[in-house]
Amino acid sequence: QVHLMESGGGVVQPGRSLRLSCAASGFSFDSHGMHWVRQPPGRGLEWLALISYEGSKTSYADSVMGRFIISRDNFKNTLYLQMNSLETDDTATYYCARDPSWSTLAYYFDSWGQGTLVTVSS
Amino acid sequence: FVLTQPHSVSESPGKTVTLSCTGSSGNIASNYVQWYQQRPGSAPTLIIFEDNQRPSGVPDRISGSIDSSSNSASLIISGLRTEDEADYYCQSYDAAKQVVFGGGTKLTVL
């Protein structure tokens, strides 16, 4: 049973940093690409970033390029999102999601965590 | 590359509803389209992948299709139930392999 659990959300002031974690279990974490997706309150889904199964390839949405960094630790079965220079528009629920393809990328999501809420406010 | 979905759709229980997802440019058939269902307070779940494939556990009254002539994808739900009331998002990716979501359609079953 695939299980993804995000943590690290909370209230943070504009301009500050926050790191989210996503603990994975129930599957071979080191064989799957992973993604971060967010959803502002009452709004739609926005893809943020992806990382390949071994971490060599990353890609970002224009809205977070240069501010957010995706990374992974395959020994700890954990995905990360380092968020810097946070803005009020970054307020959202942040989801980690698994790419279904083995050792490549299919660019969609077959399993999602329950999300962690990040609120950027002074 | 933008995917456009109607903001809301309403239909009665037992009926069939078609949710559309229109691509802004190029050929929507060039890259696979997925569909996700999101009930209030829950994370999204995958209900259609690779245009028309259903993950295990998704009933066959839910189906997906692509129409290249209108550059659009469709999610068809037949035999509507109150439990189908949710937000539905289409998703694909562009030539630069940037993932794109549609804005979502709120389906009301009443």
Side-chain angles (χ1 to χ4, degrees), chain B residues 67-89:
Chain B
D67 181 355
S68 295
S69 66
S70 61
N71 208 35
S72 65
S74 295
L75 178 71
I76 304 104
I77 307 175
S78 61
L80 273 171
R81 304 177 178 181
T82 55
E83 68 201 47
D84 297 324
E85 189 161 291
D87 294 328
Y88 292 85
Y89 295 91

Side-chain angles (χ1 to χ4, degrees), chain A residues 12-92:
Chain A
V12 61
Q13 292 179 327
R16 304 298 291 262
S17 298
L18 201 63
R19 189 177 83 158
L20 305 182
S21 300
C22 169
S25 60
F27 68 101
S28 298
F29 180 71
D30 59 3
S31 294
H32 287 266
M34 296 294 295
H35 302 258
W36 286 99
V37 176
R38 72 182 177 185
Q39 185 172 36
R43 300 182 62 183
L45 302 170
E46 178 187 18
W47 172 80
L48 297 178
L50 67 82
I51 187 167
S52 59
Y53 70 101
E54 85 285 35
S56 65
K57 174 183 169 65
T58 59
S59 180
Y60 297 90
D62 290 344
S63 60
V64 302
M65 177 86 72
R67 294 192 302 127
F68 290 11
I69 301 171
I70 189 172
S71 62
R72 65 190 298 159
D73 185 334
N74 285 348
F75 294 104
K76 295 183 177 179
N77 287 351
T78 302
L79 175 72
Y80 302 101
L81 184 68
Q82 177 67 41
M83 304 186 296
N84 301 321
S85 303
L86 283 162
E87 305 166 353
T88 55
D89 284 350
D90 295 318
T91 294

Side-chain angles (χ1 to χ4, degrees), chain A residues 37 39 43-45 47 59-61 95 107-110 112-113, chain B residues 34 36 38 42-44 46 49-50 89 91 93 97-99 101:
Chain A
V37 176
Q39 185 172 36
R43 300 182 62 183
L45 302 170
W47 172 80
S59 180
Y60 297 90
Y95 297 100
Y107 300 95
Y108 68 93
F109 325 104
D110 68 343
W112 298 64
Chain B
Q34 281 64 234
Y36 303 86
Q38 186 179 33
S42 296
L46 179 68
F49 67 97
E50 294 178 0
Y89 295 91
Q91 175 262 313
Y93 55 94
K97 299 292 180 66
Q98 295 274 296
V99 174
F101 284 100

